[in-house]
Amino acid sequence: MTHTLVPSDRVEHAAVFGRDGAKLGTIERLMLDKVTGTVAYAVIKTGGLLGSHHHYPVLWSALSYDSHRRAYKTELTVDDLCSGPCELDGDAFDWGDRSRPHAQYWTV
């Protein structure tokens, strides 16, 4: 019997595929709500030019597990990701700060 729990280290680095079937990137980290203990969102790391990477937040509820691919899928596309908040490698983006809501991200 397959259970529904998974350790966080198995979620990190899992592939994420978009609505069109294209690979968007991998899950870099999960952001947990300290009070409720639930996953708020995942940070998706995408490949960039010359080895740089972009990091995008995606609501956990916007991801679903695809057991055939052993990966996560979402209805988002690369364009959807690019329209939301982003961090480049080395940026000092505060992933816990939701004081600057972004319509494309927080309403997914």
Side-chain angles (χ1 to χ4, degrees):
M1 178 176 193
T2 304
H3 54 79
T4 59
L5 297 176
V6 62
S8 62
D9 62 340
R10 289 192 184 167
V11 176
E12 294 167 356
H13 311 294
V16 177
F17 292 87
R19 169 175 63 231
D20 58 3
K23 184 177 178 183
L24 299 177
T26 58
I27 295 176
E28 181 177 28
R29 68 175 58 100
L30 301 177
M31 297 300 294
L32 308 174
D33 184 292
K34 290 182 198 179
V35 176
T36 66
T38 59
V39 177
Y41 62 89
V43 176
I44 307 300
K45 180 169 89 172
T46 64
L49 297 174
L50 304 173
S52 66
H53 296 91
H54 289 82
H55 310 268
Y56 298 96
V58 173
L59 286 174
W60 187 244
S61 60
L63 295 168
S64 61
Y65 187 70
D66 182 339
S67 59
H68 297 289
R69 280 187 159 167
R70 292 187 163 186
Y72 289 84
K73 61 184 178 180
T74 182
E75 287 299 309
L76 299 173
T77 64
V78 170
D79 290 338
D80 294 329
L81 285 181
C82 292
S83 70
C86 172
E87 171 196 47
L88 285 171
D89 283 340
D91 282 354
F93 191 85
D94 181 355
W95 290 107
D97 180 8
R98 293 191 194 185
S99 64
R100 298 171 305 193
H102 189 281
Q104 292 297 321
Y105 168 67
W106 300 114
T107 61
V108 169

